[in-house]
């Protein structure tokens, strides 16, 4: 099942306080990009996940969030589920998204 456009429109609106994003449909889900770097994803499960590294992982762990993984794979992807209350608060989502953009910048340099 493809992600409904209405859901992607809602997610895009929630990023307004963060800055310009581009959403690209890919592999049955969608990637969310800022300045050409993927900072988030939405899969068929309709959950928003932001990019995580060692600098922001504790924020997600403290909230009981888990990384995205595919059954049968040992290592998950560096995108973790975002708590619903963060998604609903545009300013808070912007703060989390900034940390994810910084993670994307760091991973680009490797």
């Amino acid at each position: 099942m493809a992600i409904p456009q209405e859901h992607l429109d809602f997610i895009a609106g929630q990023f307004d306080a963060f800055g310009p994003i581009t959403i690209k449909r890919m592999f049955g889900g969608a990637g969310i990009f800022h300045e050409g770097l993927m900072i988030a994803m939405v899969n068929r499960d309709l959950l928003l996940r932001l990019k995580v590294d060692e600098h922001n992982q504790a924020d997600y762990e403290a909230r009981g969030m888990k990384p995205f993984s595919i059954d049968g794979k040992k290592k998950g992807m560096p995108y973790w589920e975002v708590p619903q209350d963060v998604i609903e608060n545009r300013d808070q989502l912007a703060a989390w998204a900034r940390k994810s953009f910084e993670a994307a910048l760091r991973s680009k340099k490797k």
Side-chain angles (χ1 to χ4, degrees):
M1 178 179 104
I3 300 170
Q5 186 60 46
E6 301 81 39
H7 185 71
L8 294 178
D9 292 344
F10 168 75
I11 294 295
Q14 294 307 102
F15 276 89
D16 281 349
F18 169 69
I21 61 163
T22 303
I23 297 179
K24 297 179 184 177
R25 289 184 181 268
M26 49 199 300
F27 308 113
I32 299 172
F33 296 80
H34 177 69
E35 295 184 10
L37 297 175
M38 188 165 156
I39 62 164
M41 63 188 290
V42 179
N43 278 56
R44 293 179 188 142
D45 56 14
L46 304 183
L47 294 175
L48 174 65
R49 293 179 174 87
L50 286 168
K51 188 167 185 80
V52 172
D53 69 6
E54 65 275 3
H55 296 275
N56 62 343
Q57 184 172 331
D59 296 339
Y60 296 82
E61 290 174 340
R63 300 292 300 275
M65 300 292 101
K66 302 286 184 207
F68 175 74
S69 64
I70 297 174
D71 292 338
K73 301 243 180 179
K74 287 186 176 185
K75 186 175 180 185
M77 294 175 66
Y79 295 90
W80 288 53
E81 184 179 345
V82 181
Q84 190 62 37
D85 63 301
V86 172
I87 295 170
E88 292 171 1
N89 182 318
R90 290 179 181 192
D91 291 332
Q92 196 171 13
L93 180 59
W96 284 50
R98 277 186 210 93
K99 290 181 181 181
S100 292
F101 180 62
E102 291 166 3
L105 287 170
R106 283 189 291 273
S107 70
K108 180 182 171 186
K109 292 178 183 177
K110 290 183 179 180

